[in-house]
């Protein structure tokens, strides 16, 4: 099974936007770790939006 290129770019943009990491740093992450970071960021963003 292959992972959609568009999805990878979305994950990269999401992590880069929130963590300000370089493309190389994000691409060096294992797929599982990159997905975990995107899920954690989403949870933080969602939680932060609910506190307003």
């Amino acid at each position: 099974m292959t992972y959609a290129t568009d999805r990878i770019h979305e994950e990269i943009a999401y992590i880069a936007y929130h963590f300000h990491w370089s493309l190389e740093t994000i691409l060096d992450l294992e797929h599982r770790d990159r997905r975990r970071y995107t899920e954690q960021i989403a949870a933080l963003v969602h939680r932060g939006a609910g506190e307003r």
Side-chain angles (χ1 to χ4, degrees), residues 14-52:
Y14 197 63
I15 295 169
Y17 177 81
H18 287 282
F19 286 172
H20 309 285
W21 290 354
S22 70
L23 176 62
E24 293 80 23
T25 299
I26 298 168
L27 289 175
D28 282 344
L29 295 170
E30 293 290 330
H31 170 74
R32 181 181 353 201
D33 293 333
R34 192 174 58 246
R35 287 294 305 144
R36 180 173 286 161
Y37 278 116
T38 59
E39 291 167 2
Q40 291 297 315
I41 293 168
L44 291 169
V45 168
H46 180 70
R47 191 176 331 154
E51 292 178 356
R52 292 180 184 192

